[in-house]
Amino acid sequence: MEPSTGKPSFLRNIVVRLFLFCVFILGVRFAYVVTIRGESCDLGDFCFFSLPDNLNTIVSAAAGHLGTKSSSSSAVIAVGKSAPAKPQKVPDLWATKGFQKTAQFYSSVFQDLISDGFLTPNSKVLCVDTPTGADVFALKEIGVSDSIGIFKKASKPLVISGQAIKQPFGDNKFDFVFSGAVMVEKSPKPTNFAAEICRTLKPEGFFVVHTGSKDTYSYNSFLDLFNCCKLVKFRDIDGFDSKLPFIREIVMQKKFSENVDEISGYGIEKTGGNSVNECSVPGYKQELIRKAEPLIVEEPKKPWITLKKNMQNIKYLPSMADISFKQRYVYVDVGSRSYGSSIVSWFKKQYPKQNKTFEIYAIEADKHFHEEYKYKKGVKLLPYAAWVRNETLFFEINQDPIDKDVEKGRGMGRIQPVQSLNGVSDGSNVDEIPGFDFAEWLKSTVSVRDFVVMKMDVEGTEFNLIPRLIETGAICLIDEFFLECHYNRWQKCCPGERTSKYQKTYDQCLELFTSLRESGVLVHQWW
């Protein structure tokens, strides 16, 4: 009789099944960590990915900055060491690949800044607009323990609730302020952003910003915002992912001097001249002019067709440069006529505004159009005539016989100034309209920190207004200029005949455009 083998087989099956169950548990845990938790885990749990060895120091320092108590029984320890009875949880975000990659990038950046002497382990540091706090994490990791970040939504213990444009700190609190991840371009109020940096940064403290804008226009616009600081250096570095392949790092130092205009000597080109009535155009604006569409040199035989087609060739300034770092955005329509004439049909629909909200000023002397502006939000009407001085003017309003639509037959395009009522032709309408010094108004309304777009259609008065703008220096406040120049052009109705309405020639118009561009004004031929 053969011995029985049933009992060993039964035990072997139990062992095999127990082993397979353990493998199943490990597999489920691995899948959970990788797919659900984003390759992260809490300390004290079974972990496949480890955090930095000095995580205990980082978290304790962050907790200390927030004023929380830390003891041996509640401190967080690194993976691999025995856990306390009640371990403090580490945010899952810190163990993700994205966070660690970003923190590693900032660690390299900060170590370079330490080598250059802009940052020290003893510096009191603020990181503004940091959603995750990866930059704060990197600072604490390299030994700059007195560091904190602010963002609209807190991510404690590294980031507390606060805004860059309204910081929850007193004056002159920080030795070093950092703004990374090109968050400065996204600020809705760049002027407030700059003011708050200037307020909380200590005199001689350093401000370092990372921006994705690399054109010289945006670079100089950014520097103009920080009159409290002097430029120390800048460099271009590679970004940390494909979404941010390029970064320009700008280092600035807060000055002791109360004279906020004392910026020359640090690579910033001043926009002002030797007096309030003079201005010099910086090289970065001249660079834009070189990129602009060429002027039409030869007089067009059919100007109403040629100039309209030329609008398709125009290279707008916002298509060549980043306009993010401006205090305000202003559009001035001189000779606006009706609301739908150019404000709606062109500026609102076609001009590339880079998602910026523009203040709109409509300057229109013809009271026929004034009523409709009362109901238009976001547009301020100036019911006067743009002129070279403040005085009352008499205008002859001619109705073109071929224009059946009264609206098309009136406006600045149909208004002619006259010296006296005796000079008015029979049957003409005459309006008495207040004129104002347009150049002085512009200087009192906008500044060099604003982005100003202007369209001018004033039926020949441009030959009076533009010399006045140049004389007063107001021309340098205009970033982009769309000018319709009026001359004795060929008439659409009568082949071979020129209009007698204007005395200037096309050559004189071309000379006006050329002189403006040579003076550094980005002007376009307009229709």
Side-chain angles (χ1 to χ4, degrees):
M1 185 174 181
E2 295 181 2
S4 174
T5 58
K7 192 171 183 179
S9 297
F10 175 76
L11 292 175
R12 184 169 58 252
N13 290 338
I14 293 296
V15 171
V16 170
R17 290 183 181 184
L18 181 62
F19 174 76
L20 291 175
F21 179 75
C22 292
V23 171
F24 174 76
I25 293 297
L26 290 174
V28 170
R29 176 59 180 168
F30 179 81
Y32 172 73
V33 169
V34 173
T35 61
I36 305 299
R37 301 287 300 279
E39 297 182 1
S40 65
C41 60
D42 294 334
L43 295 177
D45 291 338
F46 184 82
C47 298
F48 291 96
F49 303 93
S50 62
L51 294 172
D53 291 335
N54 61 341
L55 184 61
N56 182 36
T57 304
I58 295 173
V59 177
S60 298
H65 193 104
L66 292 172
T68 58
K69 295 182 180 180
S70 176
S71 65
S72 58
S73 62
S74 62
V76 178
I77 62 172
V79 176
K81 299 181 180 180
S82 57
K86 294 182 179 180
Q88 180 179 331
K89 282 192 174 184
V90 174
D92 296 338
L93 174 68
W94 294 8
T96 62
K97 281 187 176 180
F99 184 92
Q100 289 296 319
K101 182 179 180 181
T102 306
Q104 185 178 10
F105 167 78
Y106 284 131
S107 178
S108 175
V109 167
F110 292 136
Q111 287 178 25
D112 289 342
L113 292 169
I114 289 176
S115 299
D116 292 336
F118 305 133
L119 177 65
T120 71
N122 297 322
S123 296
K124 186 178 181 67
V125 180
L126 171 66
C127 297
V128 297
D129 276 347
T130 172
T132 65
D135 42 6
V136 184
F137 186 97
L139 284 164
K140 294 181 180 295
E141 190 178 32
I142 63 174
V144 186
S145 58
D146 196 359
S147 306
I148 193 66
I150 58 172
F151 191 62
K152 56 186 177 182
K153 183 178 180 181
S155 181
K156 295 181 179 180
L158 300 178
V159 182
I160 63 174
S161 179
Q163 299 181 63
I165 60 175
K166 193 176 180 180
Q167 299 178 18
F169 307 108
D171 299 347
N172 304 321
K173 288 293 183 182
F174 297 96
D175 304 296
F176 186 96
V177 177
F178 178 73
S179 175
V182 299
M183 293 298 289
V184 64
E185 284 99 321
K186 302 176 184 178
S187 175
K189 299 179 180 179
T191 306
N192 294 18
F193 180 97
E196 281 293 88
I197 297 296
C198 292
R199 182 182 68 81
T200 58
L201 185 63
K202 292 180 181 179
E204 295 197 323
F206 292 97
F207 171 54
V208 177
V209 62
H210 283 180
T211 171
S213 300
K214 57 183 179 180
D215 60 272
T216 54
Y217 181 89
S218 63
Y219 172 68
N220 282 272
S221 298
F222 175 83
L223 297 180
D224 284 343
L225 287 175
F226 291 88
N227 278 353
C228 69
C229 298
K230 63 183 180 182
L231 175 66
V232 177
K233 65 173 289 187
F234 77 91
R235 64 170 181 162
D236 295 335
I237 58 178
D238 294 331
F240 49 84
D241 60 32
S242 57
K243 295 180 180 179
L244 194 64
F246 166 90
I247 288 176
R248 173 161 289 178
E249 181 178 86
I250 302 174
V251 181
M252 307 183 80
Q253 185 177 29
K254 185 176 177 179
K255 297 176 295 184
F256 262 122
S257 174
E258 294 295 327
N259 181 11
V260 296
D261 292 324
E262 190 181 301
I263 305 181
S264 58
Y266 297 97
I268 303 176
E269 296 178 305
K270 301 188 69 170
T271 55
N274 296 325
S275 72
V276 294
N277 291 336
E278 296 178 2
C279 64
S280 58
V281 180
Y284 67 91
K285 285 191 174 182
Q286 295 174 358
E287 179 183 330
L288 290 172
I289 294 171
R290 288 191 290 269
K291 295 179 180 179
E293 76 283 353
L295 296 172
I296 301 173
V297 177
E298 186 177 347
E299 179 184 355
K301 294 182 179 180
K302 295 182 179 180
W304 56 91
I305 296 178
T306 304
L307 292 175
K308 279 188 176 181
K309 285 185 176 180
N310 187 57
M311 292 174 59
Q312 302 174 4
N313 301 322
I314 286 177
K315 293 183 179 180
Y316 296 100
L317 193 157
S319 66
M320 298 186 286
D322 186 354
I323 63 172
S324 297
F325 307 119
K326 285 295 185 177
Q327 180 174 256
R328 296 159 60 214
Y329 301 88
V330 180
Y331 172 57
V332 183
D333 196 324
V334 191
S336 59
R337 299 183 68 184
S338 68
Y339 176 70
S341 178
S342 56
I343 294 177
V344 172
S345 64
W346 169 66
F347 183 74
K348 286 198 169 185
K349 290 185 178 180
Q350 299 182 40
Y351 188 80
K353 293 177 280 293
Q354 293 187 7
N355 295 321
K356 306 300 180 183
T357 301
F358 278 72
E359 300 174 37
I360 300 177
Y361 291 89
I363 302 175
E364 177 52 58
D366 190 351
K367 53 191 176 184
H368 172 78
F369 300 106
H370 293 172
E371 185 68 20
E372 67 175 292
Y373 281 100
K374 292 181 180 179
Y375 310 101
K376 306 303 179 184
K377 295 182 179 180
V379 180
K380 184 174 182 179
L381 172 68
L382 277 68
Y384 317 113
W387 190 234
V388 296
R389 64 184 70 89
N390 298 324
E391 63 179 355
T392 300
L393 301 172
F394 293 96
F395 284 90
E396 179 181 359
I397 304 176
N398 298 317
Q399 178 70 39
D400 195 323
I402 66 173
D403 285 326
K404 296 180 181 180
D405 189 338
V406 174
E407 182 174 300
K408 292 182 179 180
R410 293 180 61 99
M412 290 296 288
R414 301 298 179 189
I415 297 179
Q416 292 296 307
V418 294
Q419 299 299 320
S420 66
L421 291 177
N422 295 330
V424 180
S425 59
D426 294 337
S428 298
N429 296 322
V430 176
D431 275 356
E432 184 177 318
I433 302 173
F436 70 104
D437 191 330
F438 175 66
E440 289 301 324
W441 171 84
L442 188 65
K443 291 175 67 176
S444 65
T445 304
V446 300
S447 73
V448 292
R449 296 184 186 180
D450 300 328
F451 182 78
V452 181
V453 182
M454 183 179 295
K455 189 228 76 179
M456 182 179 288
D457 177 8
V458 288
E459 282 309 294
T461 311
E462 62 268 15
F463 286 97
N464 302 98
L465 292 179
I466 291 177
R468 174 67 175 163
L469 289 171
I470 295 174
E471 174 191 346
T472 60
I475 195 73
C476 292
L477 298 172
I478 305 171
D479 290 87
E480 191 162 21
F481 196 3
F482 298 87
L483 173 64
E484 179 175 347
C485 187
H486 299 81
Y487 63 98
N488 56 350
R489 63 184 67 174
W490 298 109
Q491 293 193 64
K492 186 176 182 180
C493 64
C494 315
E497 293 184 18
R498 292 182 182 272
T499 178
S500 59
K501 188 175 180 180
Y502 311 109
Q503 302 303 315
K504 301 296 183 180
T505 66
Y506 184 81
D507 287 341
Q508 288 175 298
C509 279
L510 186 61
E511 189 177 309
L512 184 63
F513 282 107
T514 303
S515 63
L516 283 170
R517 285 197 173 184
E518 289 177 348
S519 299
V521 181
L522 181 59
V523 63
H524 307 283
Q525 290 171 298
W526 201 240
W527 173 255

